Amino acid sequence: MTTTIHQQIQFNVNANRLFQALTDSDIFSQVTGGAPTEIHNEAGGPFSLFGGMIHGRTIELVPNQLIVQAWRAKNWTEGVYTLVKFQLKEDGPSQTTIVFDQTGIPDGQAEHLEKGWHENYWNPLNKYFA
């Protein structure tokens, strides 16, 4: 049995800058407090976030619009991945909404992950762009 997370978060920044923050190693590391980050900014490219605690592969990348990743936590059973999708929708010249979906979440992980997206992604991004 797996679970899904759906969240919509608005940011006071244009889609280009938000996309860069999610796909550029140096910027993502700055946003998230300096943890080691490696992001290969191309479809098929691997990524490693938070010092290797999260890793996977980018499946689809449409600049300023869409990021789809096979995403997993280091402590999960080997071979277990979720699918995460970040859709960026520009609401104006300096406002963008991320429509976020994570599917295939292993049993018992959804509550932790739901909070984690806010604590480790959305809140630091809002602070970075404030």
Side-chain angles (χ1 to χ4, degrees):
M1 178 110 180
T2 59
T3 321
T4 299
I5 294 173
H6 175 79
Q7 299 176 346
Q8 292 190 57
I9 307 89
Q10 190 171 65
F11 298 93
N12 292 322
V13 64
N14 66 41
N16 179 42
R17 288 192 61 213
L18 187 54
F19 183 85
Q20 287 177 339
L22 293 168
T23 60
D24 180 281
S25 298
D26 293 334
I27 298 172
F28 189 87
S29 182
Q30 289 174 27
V31 167
T32 58
T37 302
E38 284 186 46
I39 301 171
H40 293 264
N41 189 358
E42 61 194 18
F47 63 88
S48 175
L49 313 173
F50 306 104
M53 288 304 299
I54 303 299
H55 62 276
R57 210 164 270 291
T58 299
I59 297 169
E60 187 176 355
L61 208 54
V62 179
N64 307 330
Q65 296 177 32
L66 180 68
I67 304 163
V68 180
Q69 298 174 326
W71 186 102
R72 72 180 311 269
K74 183 178 181 177
N75 62 349
W76 289 358
T77 303
E78 194 62 36
V80 173
Y81 286 82
T82 64
L83 189 68
V84 297
K85 183 163 94 172
F86 304 83
Q87 286 186 284
L88 283 65
K89 298 189 177 204
E90 215 162 54
D91 302 321
S94 61
Q95 285 199 332
T96 304
T97 297
I98 289 181
V99 179
F100 173 81
D101 290 289
Q102 183 174 18
T103 59
I105 299 167
D107 284 341
Q109 297 294 314
E111 185 176 337
H112 169 74
L113 289 171
E114 191 146 7
K115 290 177 186 173
W117 287 107
H118 287 278
E119 293 169 4
N120 299 302
Y121 278 72
W122 318 144
N123 294 344
L125 282 164
N126 269 318
K127 184 177 178 182
Y128 182 80
F129 290 120

